[in-house]
Amino acid sequence: MEELVPVVCPWCSVGCRLYIVSVNGHPRKIEWDYDHPNTPNKGKLCPKGVASYQFTISPDRLKKPLIKRNGKFEEVSWEEAIRYVAQKFKEIIEEHGPEALAFLGSERCSLEDNYVLQKLARALGTNNVEFAGRLCQSSNFVARSKVFGSPAQTNPFEDIVKSKVILVWGYNPAETNPVLFGQYFEKALDNGAKIIVVDPIKTKTAKFADIHLQPYPGTDLAVALAMLNYIIKNELYDRKFVEERTDNFEELAKSVEEYTPEWAEKVSEVPAGMIKRAAELLATGGNATIVLNEGVNQHANGTMTALAIANLIAITGNIGKEGVFSGVIPGAHCGLCAAVPGVNCAQLPGPVPLNEENAKKFSELWGFEVPRKPGLHYQAIFKAMAEGKMKGIFIMGQNPARSLANSSLIEEALEKAFVVVSDIFPTETTKFADVILPAASWYEKTGTVITQNRRVMRSFKAVKPPGEAKPDWEILVMLARELGVGEYFNYSSVDDILREINRAIPALKGATPERLNSNLEGCFYPCPDEKSETPRLFLNGFPTKTGRAQLAPVKWIQPGEVPDEEYPLWLTNFRQVGHFHTGTMSMRSKSLIKRWPEGFLMINPEDAKALGIRDGDRVRVETRRGSLVVRAMVTDRIRKGVVAMPWHWGVNFLTKDDAIDEFSKMPELKAVTCRVTKEVVE
Ligand code: SF4
């Protein structure tokens, strides 16, 4: 039987709608969805969206539960696998306490999967529950929460088109979110908007730039401080907005007094004149869209940079009204599916802080005592594991052996614990697993997604899972029952879980199964009842103590390491349109791997010449943590003194785990130092 099933793309957070055409539960092709004009993509798809079912039919799919015995994986029944995991987890809890266990959720899974995962961790007595958002957007999350009282993206994508100025910081939407760029950014440019890009690389987005600032990696903060300094000193800020809707302006102004554009030029090598032009355009050019991404967030000084940018948004009055837009657009499709239900060591569903009042509220709702002690953050979980203190971990749809800074240390840590991985493919992490559980992929289950634009939508099961693979929430419920806490997980369908979420999270009360199943365009979160939604935030105030934005003093923080004689070049990394994260899915998608077949190193012609490197040579890239061999791409798209690799190809063997942002706990993933040598072929 042929079916046309409505789904949401499983890759990035734009949340494009499409159809899967399936015959008897097997995918045949995709169809563009022009039937729902209020969805973000309005029918359009990028190459990843078009290829989005290919990985589901890869022969590499995990089909049976596996237990490692004598170093080899053996196929077992679900009953045996779940019994074995539960027995080991019970032993760990008995001998070392529940805090010796950790659970990792996933931005690749649904709202329901992640809700059940964090609840199981808490039912067992631990708040060691995290997901990769810690490694992606946590710096911006902390900064915006401090200034605006909420990290959320503010306006619908349609408001980008109404903006007169676009500031894109550490983000390349033309490559990483092409549908968003084509549908909204390009239309704003066609309407005459000016665009400022801050990125050390001449990206596809930078080709459209009126002003392109190219700071050294890790020195974006200097540029942001100087823009604040220039706008305040020259009284270019939005005086009415500052007076009526912000607090602490004097403290902010004092904190940036010494950070002149000339000072920033010395630190970042961005000409002071260009910083001034960018600041002037942002402050006086009209309504602005201000977007940032990993190029800002993934640094040990990421929160301070994001804080400086949040201040810029506030003092230029580009928030809390129509025709402006600000926020992040993550690479993964459902970071909010994990962040909102509290897959966080210090937050509960909402998300709300893990404090006595909220813990009590959830204890009453769930029927068991929620642990009060905050858990460990992502990188700290693996540090504790390396020290032998974290004895067991349940990893749902994550590949920390490649996604965490300094990967070789993570591999050593995984060897020391009882590791359970539920995933759709063997990964670098499953090599270290004791038990592997085959999970259903995105198109093989029904689930709720919250796109980064705060649109809550349903994606429906279009394809049969291979072999015995199951949706993650079903796996977790089986495990809960075997662990003796099944009474709190009385779900027989994904709708049962969503109904509990409607009760647990007031802002999602109106996102009921009935509403989402019948309206494919979904609704904007917060939606406190079934009739309402919130496309624009902060129109009448901010969720802070005073209802006004809290401008925050800022200061310069040096990057985690700077070039020296031994390691003279900056190394940074970026995403490619054809790949996704560590490549477990995109590298198994035929059309993507054919077109984007391998990693490479971008190097400026002057640096290449000095090192005797020609385009296409194999080169060794070496940092204090390790080395990789890749092909050189000699190009002036990268500035002199900096080299860059797409991060999907194991770049985290080279990144730094011991420089961590003190506020967000983000490791230094984007600015390390390296040396490059030509690889001699014998
Ligand atoms: Fe999928 Fe993102 Fe491409 Fe849309 S832009 S098709 S959500 S990868």
Side-chain angles (χ1 to χ4, degrees):
M1 190 181 65
E2 184 169 300
E3 279 182 291
L4 190 67
V5 185
V7 294
V8 177
C9 176
W11 302 109
C12 88
S13 65
V14 175
C16 297
R17 262 218 176 278
L18 66 149
Y19 293 110
I20 294 290
V21 179
S22 73
V23 177
N24 299 327
H26 300 288
R28 287 288 178 266
K29 58 178 182 174
I30 62 115
E31 283 282 346
W32 283 253
D33 176 355
Y34 291 102
D35 303 330
H36 300 96
N38 290 323
T39 50
N41 55 321
K42 304 182 195 316
K44 302 281 191 308
L45 294 173
C46 79
K48 275 214 293 282
V50 174
S52 61
Y53 78 84
Q54 292 176 5
F55 67 85
T56 66
I57 52 173
S58 160
D60 294 352
R61 285 293 301 275
L62 291 163
K63 298 184 185 77
K64 289 271 289 178
L66 303 169
I67 292 182
K68 195 187 269 169
R69 290 190 178 117
N70 303 319
K72 286 201 171 143
F73 285 111
E74 288 176 16
E75 290 187 356
V76 296
S77 67
W78 270 107
E79 291 68 29
E80 186 177 352
I82 293 291
R83 212 179 311 124
Y84 182 62
V85 174
Q87 183 201 328
K88 286 283 182 189
F89 277 11
K90 280 181 191 166
E91 283 170 17
I92 290 170
I93 293 171
E94 231 164 74
E95 278 178 48
H96 308 281
E99 284 159 18
L101 277 182
F103 288 76
L104 296 186
S106 177
E107 65 291 342
R108 286 199 275 141
C109 292
S110 69
L111 176 70
E112 291 87 351
D113 292 330
N114 280 295
Y115 178 83
V116 175
L117 176 113
Q118 62 78 34
K119 187 176 164 186
L120 177 58
R122 281 150 178 154
L124 296 177
T126 179
N127 283 309
N128 292 330
V129 53
E130 286 269 294
F131 82 106
R134 176 74 68 195
L135 313 173
C136 179
Q137 306 297 352
S138 57
S139 304
N140 182 64
F141 188 101
V142 173
R144 281 176 79 96
S145 299
K146 192 173 167 94
V147 176
F148 305 124
S150 158
Q153 200 180 78
T154 53
N155 290 52
F157 289 145
E158 284 73 10
D159 279 8
I160 295 172
V161 182
K162 298 173 190 163
S163 297
K164 300 288 176 220
V165 178
I166 296 176
L167 170 57
V168 180
W169 206 310
Y171 173 38
N172 181 12
E175 172 96 19
T176 56
N177 307 109
V179 170
L180 179 74
F181 192 77
Q183 290 279 47
Y184 303 100
F185 287 75
E186 279 196 53
K187 284 187 183 152
L189 300 181
D190 290 346
N191 290 344
K194 302 278 183 224
I195 180 165
I196 306 161
V197 174
V198 188
D199 202 307
I201 303 171
K202 276 183 209 155
T203 60
K204 279 187 184 164
T205 309
K207 287 187 184 158
F208 292 82
D210 294 282
I211 302 174
H212 180 198
L213 310 180
Q214 288 182 274
Y216 280 134
T219 67
D220 301 71
L221 175 58
V223 175
L225 295 173
M227 284 175 75
L228 283 167
N229 168 292
Y230 187 78
I231 289 170
I232 293 173
K233 205 159 143 196
N234 292 284
E235 300 190 4
L236 299 175
Y237 54 89
D238 183 335
R239 188 176 290 276
K240 187 168 183 292
F241 187 91
V242 166
E243 282 173 9
E244 290 176 4
R245 300 198 58 187
T246 72
D247 290 325
N248 310 330
F249 180 73
E250 293 308 321
E251 289 90 325
L252 169 66
K254 197 164 181 337
S255 75
V256 295
E257 259 171 15
E258 64 189 279
Y259 302 124
T260 60
E262 289 71 23
W263 165 83
E265 177 172 343
K266 284 188 204 132
V267 177
S268 65
E269 286 205 9
V270 178
M274 286 183 76
I275 297 175
K276 291 176 190 174
R277 270 180 59 211
E280 234 165 77
L281 177 58
L282 178 66
T284 62
N287 280 358
T289 283
I290 301 173
V291 279
L292 55 113
N293 232 345
E294 283 95 340
V296 169
N297 289 315
Q298 290 184 318
H299 290 288
N301 61 8
T303 301
M304 197 53 77
T305 312
L307 204 53
I309 295 171
N311 284 324
L312 274 174
I313 293 167
I315 66 166
T316 54
N318 282 306
I319 194 163
K321 62 182 181 186
E322 194 179 332
V324 299
F325 180 96
S326 67
V328 292
I329 321 279
H333 88 142
C334 205
L336 290 177
C337 295
V340 171
V343 180
N344 185 298
C345 65
Q347 288 177 342
L348 290 168
V352 294
L354 171 69
N355 57 27
E356 185 53 34
E357 187 191 339
N358 292 326
K360 228 170 137 187
K361 190 185 114 191
F362 278 96
S363 300
E364 276 163 27
L365 178 78
W366 288 336
F368 59 80
E369 221 32 54
V370 170
R372 294 337 196 230
K373 189 176 160 200
L376 299 177
H377 64 80
Y378 208 121
Q379 195 94 17
I381 287 172
F382 289 90
K383 189 164 181 278
M385 200 178 281
E387 289 165 356
K389 294 177 196 154
M390 187 62 68
K391 301 289 184 186
I393 188 163
F394 187 101
I395 300 173
M396 177 175 86
Q398 296 274 282
N399 188 11
R402 283 297 170 276
S403 60
L404 271 169
N406 202 351
S407 303
S408 44
L409 276 189
I410 304 303
E411 291 184 350
E412 280 172 35
L414 285 165
E415 271 175 353
K416 294 186 178 162
F418 176 69
V419 177
V420 184
V421 182
S422 112
D423 212 317
I424 64 174
F425 287 118
T427 65
E428 286 82 1
T429 302
T430 59
K431 285 181 201 153
F432 300 91
D434 296 279
V435 181
I436 304 175
L437 304 173
S441 73
W442 184 247
Y443 289 158
E444 294 158 0
K445 60 188 176 187
T446 293
T448 303
V449 60
I450 310 177
T451 73
Q452 193 60 24
N453 202 209
R454 296 182 289 104
R455 191 181 280 276
V456 192
M457 292 191 286
R458 261 280 158 97
S459 186
F460 295 91
K461 179 176 173 178
V463 178
K464 274 187 199 155
E468 297 178 17
K470 289 181 188 297
D472 285 286
W473 70 266
E474 281 188 38
I475 298 171
L476 291 160
V477 169
M478 284 165 65
L479 182 58
R481 289 185 183 139
E482 197 63 36
L483 280 161
V485 291
E487 63 187 291
Y488 311 118
F489 296 83
N490 227 347
Y491 313 120
S492 54
S493 72
V494 76
D495 284 357
D496 287 350
I497 306 168
L498 184 55
R499 282 195 192 94
E500 183 174 311
I501 294 171
N502 297 151
R503 291 195 298 280
I505 303 175
L508 282 177
K509 192 173 169 198
T512 60
E514 292 70 24
R515 184 182 194 177
L516 300 184
N517 292 344
S518 61
N519 173 9
L520 295 183
E521 292 176 348
C523 55
F524 284 101
Y525 154 91
C527 39
D529 61 59
E530 273 195 278
K531 297 251 167 352
S532 67
E533 61 176 343
T534 316
R536 291 183 184 84
L537 291 177
F538 317 141
L539 296 180
N540 301 312
F542 296 94
T544 58
K545 271 186 192 152
T546 60
R548 294 149 67 95
Q550 300 299 298
L551 299 175
V554 277
K555 63 175 183 184
W556 169 241
I557 299 174
Q558 186 87 3
E561 57 185 17
V562 288
D564 55 20
E565 274 185 16
E566 225 183 327
Y567 297 94
L569 294 167
W570 286 104
L571 168 67
T572 190
N573 57 74
F574 57 92
R575 283 186 280 145
Q576 293 176 287
V577 64
H579 284 296
F580 179 79
H581 288 195
T582 60
T584 53
M585 299 191 298
S586 56
M587 290 177 196
R588 288 177 172 105
S589 300
K590 271 190 187 166
S591 62
L592 299 179
I593 195 68
K594 195 170 167 202
R595 194 158 152 206
W596 290 274
E598 63 174 345
F600 53 88
L601 181 85
M602 285 165 70
I603 183 166
N604 182 276
E606 280 187 55
D607 289 327
K609 193 173 172 201
L611 294 165
I613 292 167
R614 285 180 308 181
D615 192 52
D617 280 350
R618 292 188 77 73
V619 293
R620 182 169 292 277
V621 191
E622 199 175 352
T623 71
R624 289 181 172 84
R625 274 71 54 189
S627 71
L628 288 175
V629 175
V630 285
R631 273 189 205 288
M633 177 196 280
V634 178
T635 171
D636 65 2
R637 283 172 55 203
I638 189 83
R639 63 172 293 175
K640 187 172 175 293
V642 185
V643 291
M645 293 170 67
W647 87 272
H648 320 284
W649 307 88
V651 83
N652 280 331
F653 274 113
L654 311 178
T655 53
K656 193 166 165 61
D657 63 319
D658 56 354
I660 289 195
D661 186 301
E662 68 172 295
F663 311 102
S664 64
K665 310 302 176 197
M666 175 76 77
E668 183 54 78
L669 290 162
K670 276 274 192 285
V672 294
T673 61
C674 74
R675 60 181 168 228
V676 178
T677 46
K678 186 170 165 174
E679 189 75 347
V680 181
V681 183
E682 297 289 321

